[in-house]
């Protein structure tokens, strides 16, 4: 059958009367509170699960003080639904912020550990006369480090390793000539100071005044 003719056919179902439409509207409005309650419960369950996850993650990182605060009111003692939800949401937001601070610190610590381990491996390889490790390491540095002053620092740290002060430059070139020949490069010193300053400025008390008693413990744990 032609689609246009089919669509023009009268429906076999009788249209709803005005009374039926009003009845459906009343039922929909009557169930609105139940729908809101289900949605609120689902959101509260989600936040509770996230709170437990954050508490466990922070505890595993050694931040036990966050969970042992004497003035923390247990959620199951809060009878008012709206108040309990607001407190739960606030606690999740606070721990999310603390977790973000801890994550940045762990990433910085991880980078330092990796760099130290690689440097120790290179030093041991040079001391034992193995040149392959040093050659590979210098190739990475030559491609990744651009600033002459940073390359000089690395070269001195490695005991005068054959690393020129600029990519493609002569080993005998001094710092002033190398700096003049190199285009502006990332300032690793500024990047490091900026990153460390950002981490040092963020303390639990700045996230919430109630966490002021954790500032000292948080500094020691970090």
């Amino acid at each position: 059958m032609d689609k246009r003719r089919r669509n023009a056919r009268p429906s076999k179902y009788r249209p709803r009367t005005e009374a039926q439409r009003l009845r459906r509207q009343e039922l929909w409005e009557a169930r609105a509170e139940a729908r809101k309650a289900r949605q609120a419960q689902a959101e509260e369950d989600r936040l509770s699960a996230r709170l437990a996850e954050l508490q466990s993650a922070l505890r595993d990182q050694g931040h036990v003080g966050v969970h042992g605060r004497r003035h923390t009111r247990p959620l199951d003692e809060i009878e008012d639904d709206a108040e309990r939800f607001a407190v739960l949401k606030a606690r999740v937001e606070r721990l999310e912020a603390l977790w973000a601070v801890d994550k940045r610190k762990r990433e910085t610590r991880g980078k330092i550990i990796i760099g130290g381990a690689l440097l120790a491996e290179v030093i041991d390889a040079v001391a034992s006369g193995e040149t392959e490790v040093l050659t590979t390491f210098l190739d990475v540095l030559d491609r990744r480090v651009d600033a002459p002053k940073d390359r000089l620092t690395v070269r001195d740290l490695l005991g005068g390793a054959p690393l020129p002060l600029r990519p493609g430059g002569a080993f005998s070139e001094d710092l002033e000539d190398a700096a003049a020949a190199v285009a502006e490069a990332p300032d690793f010193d500024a990047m490091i100071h900026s990153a460390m300053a950002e981490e040092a400025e963020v303390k639990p008390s700045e996230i919430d005044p109630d966490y002021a008693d954790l500032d000292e413990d948080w500094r020691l744990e970090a």
Side-chain angles (χ1 to χ4, degrees):
M1 179 180 294
D2 183 80
K3 186 176 181 180
R4 286 176 296 181
R5 291 176 56 194
R6 183 186 62 190
N7 291 340
R9 289 184 306 170
S11 173
K12 63 181 179 179
Y13 301 103
R14 289 182 300 176
R16 292 191 180 96
T17 64
E18 184 63 24
Q20 290 174 327
R21 284 195 293 269
L22 291 175
R23 176 57 178 166
R24 286 177 60 85
Q25 182 66 26
E26 291 173 358
L27 290 174
W28 175 261
E29 293 175 353
R31 294 167 182 168
E33 292 300 325
R35 289 195 304 273
K36 291 180 181 179
R38 288 195 300 269
Q39 293 172 355
Q41 185 60 51
E43 180 65 9
E44 184 172 334
D45 292 342
R46 185 190 68 80
L47 289 174
S48 297
R50 182 55 179 165
L51 179 64
E53 182 182 1
L54 288 168
Q55 288 176 336
S56 177
L58 287 167
R59 188 182 298 112
D60 290 343
Q61 294 299 325
H63 302 298
V64 182
V66 174
H67 320 291
R69 292 163 56 231
R70 294 185 299 275
H71 55 281
T72 299
R73 184 181 179 187
L75 291 172
D76 54 8
E77 293 183 4
I78 304 177
E79 297 181 358
D80 184 76
D81 293 341
E83 181 184 0
R84 183 176 63 253
F85 182 83
V87 171
L88 174 60
K89 184 177 180 181
R91 290 180 184 177
V92 170
E93 290 174 350
R94 291 167 184 168
L95 290 192
E96 289 281 13
L98 291 175
W99 176 248
V101 172
D102 183 78
K103 183 178 179 181
R104 287 199 304 270
K105 291 184 177 181
R106 286 185 288 111
E107 288 177 350
T108 301
R109 179 180 176 85
K111 292 174 183 177
I112 294 173
I113 292 172
I114 293 172
L118 292 175
L119 180 60
E121 182 69 16
V122 171
I123 293 175
D124 290 345
V126 172
S128 61
E130 299 177 7
T131 60
E132 183 178 354
V133 175
L134 178 60
T135 300
T136 302
F137 192 62
L138 289 177
D139 178 64
V140 173
L141 293 174
D142 193 40
R143 289 184 286 107
R144 296 291 185 178
V145 182
D146 295 324
K149 62 177 181 179
D150 294 327
R151 294 168 74 97
L152 179 60
T153 299
V154 171
R155 188 168 75 181
D156 292 343
L157 186 61
L158 295 177
L163 179 69
L165 297 184
R166 62 184 176 90
F171 181 76
S172 59
E173 189 175 35
D174 61 25
L175 180 60
E176 184 177 351
D177 293 339
V182 173
E184 185 176 353
D187 188 342
F188 286 101
D189 288 339
M191 294 169 63
I192 292 172
H193 289 315
S194 176
M196 298 303 291
E198 179 184 356
E199 292 173 0
E201 289 174 358
V202 182
K203 297 183 296 185
S205 62
E206 296 175 2
I207 297 172
D208 189 280
D210 288 343
Y211 287 101
D213 57 332
L214 300 177
D215 282 353
E216 184 65 21
D217 292 339
W218 194 267
R219 184 183 65 80
L220 295 175
E221 291 167 359

